[in-house]
Amino acid sequence: MTTVTSSRDLPHPAREEIRLEAVLHALSDPMRLQIVRELATDGGELTCSHFDLPVTKSTTTHHFRVLRESGVIRQVYRGTAKMNGLRRDDLDDLFPGLLGTLLGAAARQAGRLGGA
Amino acid sequence: MTTVTSSRDLPHPAREEIRLEAVLHALSDPMRLQIVRELATDGGELTCSHFDLPVTKSTTTHHFRVLRESGVIRQVYRGTAKMNGLRRDDLDDLFPGLLGTLLGAAARQAGRLGGA
DNA sequence: CCCGTACTACGAGGTTTATCGTAGGAGCAG
DNA sequence: CTGCTCCTACGATAAACCTCGTAGTACGGG
């Protein structure tokens, strides 16, 4: 049972290699924070093309790579599509509560800025 | 009772102007994260010169300014010294639990990397 | 008034970053 | 095989960032 999901493989940092500074830097970009927020509310995996960001496709690819290389998301090919998912398990293990608090803070700010 | 602490005043963002992205960006630099960690463990106010960072004085000034302009710390002159303190009240109000979780994550990583 | 201490302002250098456009590879439907 | 869709790689550009050194300001002590 070799469970081949795809042929192309993408480099991810191991759990112990994830650095807090890199995670914070990754999330300090509005575009990337938005991506992570959508991934969190969905809960599962989303394709790159699902996101409708106000930047070109090239730039979107760049942001996804920053998120992956910092250890925030996991990316895997499925056919021609590339699925993206939060590394919730790893992040919660390394930094308990961080992801949740961060998402809460982002939601709070979004409500404050965009809300009535 | 005019409680004049100093003549020079430094520009701080108001509480509602503090942006999560700016806070995360400020804390994504190892030097600044270190500063914030020391300020947190101390609890009170510390002078700039108290910190012994592996960079020049100019660079240290720069980092303190980034922290102030992002709303993470409050700076005030007291004589020739400049006192630095965390804006715990404002941050806790805007982003409940964020500062604590962030400091916890930083401590955890420091223990993991530097510890036995 | 002069000097020392504490911090800043400004400019420069080198790296990183965000963004784009074009060209191209990998998989799937005919 | 042909085409289509999804995504990537590369190069370019302009902005931002970290770092430094030098010169300078503000305050307090003698």
Side-chain angles (χ1 to χ4, degrees):
Chain A
M1 57 160 291
T2 38
T3 57
V4 171
T5 317
S6 171
S7 50
R8 291 172 286 178
D9 260 358
L10 295 160
H12 289 76
R15 176 183 295 195
E16 325 79 49
E17 290 170 349
I18 297 178
R19 301 277 273 110
L20 177 60
E21 293 90 330
V23 171
L24 296 184
H25 171 246
L27 298 180
S28 71
D29 182 281
M31 226 60 88
R32 293 194 288 261
L33 186 57
Q34 178 59 29
I35 291 174
V36 169
R37 259 159 59 72
E38 287 192 35
L39 282 176
T41 53
D42 178 273
E45 295 184 322
L46 293 173
T47 64
C48 289
S49 53
H50 167 268
F51 297 85
D52 191 28
L53 302 173
V55 292
T56 64
K57 234 57 167 71
S58 298
T59 306
T60 304
T61 297
H62 159 70
H63 285 310
F64 274 106
R65 180 167 36 173
V66 172
L67 285 171
R68 171 171 45 86
E69 291 179 347
S70 67
V72 176
I73 69 171
R74 193 169 351 245
Q75 292 189 295
V76 68
Y77 281 104
R78 189 120 53 205
T80 72
K82 191 190 216 169
M83 306 307 294
N84 303 276
L86 274 184
R87 290 182 67 171
R88 230 185 244 278
D89 46 352
D90 292 323
L91 293 175
D92 282 346
D93 181 83
L94 282 172
F95 312 119
L98 181 63
L99 191 55
T101 312
L102 236 23
L103 289 168
R108 203 178 176 91
Q109 171 171 286
R112 185 161 48 86
L113 295 181
Chain B
M1 55 162 289
T2 40
T3 57
V4 172
T5 318
S6 171
S7 51
R8 291 172 287 178
D9 261 358
L10 296 159
H12 290 76
R15 177 183 293 194
E16 325 80 49
E17 289 170 351
I18 298 178
R19 300 279 271 108
L20 176 60
E21 294 91 330
V23 172
L24 297 183
H25 171 246
L27 297 180
S28 70
D29 182 280
M31 225 62 85
R32 293 193 289 258
L33 186 56
Q34 178 60 29
I35 291 174
V36 169
R37 259 158 60 71
E38 288 191 36
L39 282 176
T41 54
D42 179 273
E45 293 186 323
L46 294 173
T47 65
C48 288
S49 53
H50 167 268
F51 296 85
D52 191 28
L53 302 172
V55 292
T56 64
K57 234 53 167 71
S58 300
T59 306
T60 303
T61 297
H62 159 71
H63 285 311
F64 273 105
R65 181 168 34 176
V66 172
L67 285 171
R68 185 189 72 240
E69 291 179 346
S70 67
V72 176
I73 68 172
R74 189 167 358 241
Q75 293 189 295
V76 68
Y77 281 104
R78 187 118 54 203
T80 73
K82 192 191 218 170
M83 307 307 293
N84 303 277
L86 275 185
R87 291 182 66 171
R88 230 185 245 278
D89 47 351
D90 292 323
L91 292 175
D92 282 346
D93 181 82
L94 282 172
F95 313 118
L98 181 64
L99 190 56
T101 312
L102 235 23
L103 289 168
R108 203 177 176 92
Q109 171 171 286
R112 185 161 50 86
L113 296 181

